[in-house]
Amino acid sequence: MKINDALRLIAGIMLIISLLLTHFVHPNWVFFTLFIALNLLQSAFTKWCPMITILRKFGLED
């Protein structure tokens, strides 16, 4: 698996988890969804994502 594939998979899983937590646990979990969205937006403009740094340390290929 390449880094971009893993990054999209992780982002999708995190969004699903945060929405499920919002629906079933507490409405304030929506702020976790907001955090994920803001991180995706900032990475689009800065071309830097903390998760990519972590995935590279795990040895995933670009």
Side-chain angles (χ1 to χ4, degrees):
M1 180 178 285
K2 302 278 186 184
I3 275 188
N4 285 334
D5 300 331
L7 182 64
R8 288 185 179 116
L9 177 67
I10 291 168
I13 290 170
M14 296 293 282
L15 281 171
I16 290 169
I17 289 171
S18 67
L19 290 173
L20 288 172
L21 287 169
T22 300
H23 183 73
F24 291 111
V25 178
H26 195 276
N28 281 342
W29 279 101
V30 74
F31 293 112
F32 186 46
T33 308
L34 180 64
F35 169 76
I36 296 167
L38 290 174
N39 191 17
L40 288 168
L41 284 172
Q42 77 81 23
S43 69
F45 290 106
T46 64
K47 306 294 187 227
W48 179 78
C49 177
M51 184 54 73
I52 287 181
T53 305
I54 294 168
L55 292 173
R56 282 189 181 129
K57 289 184 181 183
F58 281 120
L60 268 74
E61 300 174 3
D62 284 330

